[in-house]
Amino acid sequence: MARVYNFSAGPSMLPEPVLKKAAAEMLDYNGTGESVMEMSHRSPEYQAIIEGAEAGIRGLMNIPANYKVLFLQGGASSQFAMVPLNLFGIAPKADFVHTGTWSKKAIGEAKRYGTARTVASSEDKNFSYIPKLDKSMFDPTAAYAHITTNNTIEGTRFRELPDTGSVPLVADMSSNILSEFYDVTKFGLIYAGAQKNIAPAGVTVVIVREDLIGKALAITPTMFNYKIHADEKSLYNTPPCYCIYIAKLVFDLLKDNGGVARMQKINEQKAAMVYDFLDNSKMFKGTVETQFRSLMNIPFTSPNEETDKQFIKKAGAIGLINLKGHRSVGGMRASIYNAMPVEGVKKLVDFMKEFELTNK
Ligand SMILES: *Cc1c(COP(=O)(O)O)cnc(C)c1O
């Protein structure tokens, strides 16, 4: 069977060269006679892999020396609890910009450990925009302010970061890390589950400024404490070894292909192909206010549910899979992460054109 174009919101496509390299190294990694899956996480070979992965993301995102990079488990969903547990030692309160399903969960978890204040929300219009923010809205004594840089389900993204003054900005970057340029120094902490732009599900990347480590609440479980993982270089316990290996291959590939700057250009081109079509279509409509449109997740609707169903079915039959939208938005959603080739997006847009012509 030919490979399909997978438009799933996550887990999502991985770059084919990475899959091929992993396959070639599956039974014998680098002359060791074993697979990375079987390898001791304390071996020198594995040490080189995890150090390589860290160096890879540091290079790609230009992460300064006063930030730690952690490879953890539990997904971005665990970070919803881990961030407040670790930062509420500074002050037991944080500010949140509420822009969708994921920020709601982040707020819900933070509330268990302190005060989670919503400073702005786009719930009034089903999260189809990013609220306007200014510095006066943020509490200067809060431990941190939290945003979701890209809203995977609703298809919005922050085009500019809020000015939170001296309050550390914390970002859930799960669905757009490495897809566009970010100045890491603008953040106190960035976290991202791997299964959208980095690797298979199972590893979560946390980039945290050193001065924010070591402030955890006393109730924080050992495995949830950034200090433990920072001190032990993400090897306190057995890490998700194979995921970190794939992440390293993805980072290496990105670096060899022009890094984040080039990726961003390609992502802008890919997204423009879909949005240009939607803006000119009589059948399909984007659901997000133009200026807040995501480069990664594009929700769109057709005139009715029956047409949605037909579209999704026929697309699947020609290898364009997982286009069903999230139930909270309805319709369709095309997730076009870094690993989605331009050809995949072109095939989707061609199919949408043809579908519109033949289903008038
Ligand atoms: C996918 C996603 C999550 C949840 O990630 P898990 O790894 O499944 O816990 C959280 N936030 C955002 C923005 C996401 O896209």
Side-chain angles (χ1 to χ4, degrees), residues 213-283:
I213 299 174
K215 315 263 199 251
L217 298 177
I219 59 159
T220 305
T222 305
M223 273 297 290
F224 265 36
N225 196 320
Y226 293 138
K227 184 160 176 22
I228 300 284
H229 295 291
D231 288 350
E232 301 294 331
K233 298 187 180 307
S234 303
L235 290 164
Y236 167 73
N237 70 326
T238 320
C241 301
Y242 198 76
C243 293
I244 294 170
Y245 156 71
I246 299 286
K248 179 187 179 292
L249 297 185
V250 169
F251 299 153
D252 290 349
L253 183 74
L254 251 179
K255 183 180 176 212
D256 290 346
N257 286 280
V260 173
R262 173 133 187 281
M263 199 72 247
Q264 176 168 350
K265 281 227 161 63
I266 296 170
N267 287 331
E268 284 166 354
Q269 281 167 9
K270 287 191 298 186
M273 284 163 70
V274 182
Y275 288 124
D276 287 349
F277 171 75
L278 289 174
D279 289 342
N280 290 298
S281 168
K282 297 206 163 49
M283 174 178 271

Side-chain angles (χ1 to χ4, degrees), residues 121-140:
S121 164
S122 51
E123 194 166 13
D124 59 332
K125 290 186 190 160
N126 206 23
F127 303 111
S128 57
Y129 68 104
I130 300 290
K132 205 165 165 45
L133 302 166
D134 74 72
K135 195 172 163 186
S136 68
M137 298 162 82
F138 293 93
D139 174 1

Side-chain angles (χ1 to χ4, degrees), residues 9-10 74-80 102-103 148-153 172-176 191-196 201-204 297 337:
S77 300
S78 291
Q79 294 309 309
F80 297 158
W102 293 118
S103 68
T148 313
T149 48
N150 183 78
N151 293 279
T152 325
I153 291 172
D172 177 356
M173 218 178 261
S174 294
S175 54
N176 76 333
Y191 62 90
Q195 66 272 28
K196 283 121 191 185
V203 63
T204 309
N297 311 96
Y337 297 115

Side-chain angles (χ1 to χ4, degrees), residues 28-50:
D28 175 13
Y29 174 76
N30 214 3
T32 57
E34 60 179 340
S35 169
V36 176
M37 285 192 200
E38 306 165 300
M39 194 176 276
S40 164
H41 60 293
R42 309 278 176 207
S43 65
E45 290 81 10
Y46 194 75
Q47 195 65 40
I49 291 172
I50 194 167

Side-chain angles (χ1 to χ4, degrees), residues 179-217:
S179 73
E180 61 180 292
F181 169 80
Y182 280 104
D183 177 355
V184 174
T185 66
K186 299 267 188 279
F187 300 88
L189 189 152
I190 293 167
Y191 62 90
Q195 66 272 28
K196 283 121 191 185
N197 260 340
I198 297 180
V203 63
T204 309
V205 174
V206 175
I207 301 162
V208 53
R209 213 173 61 207
E210 275 170 354
D211 61 288
L212 300 176
I213 299 174
K215 315 263 199 251
L217 298 177

Side-chain angles (χ1 to χ4, degrees), residues 47-63:
Q47 195 65 40
I49 291 172
I50 194 167
E51 282 172 8
E54 177 173 342
I57 194 166
R58 279 189 181 277
L60 289 170
M61 293 183 73
N62 202 9
I63 301 172

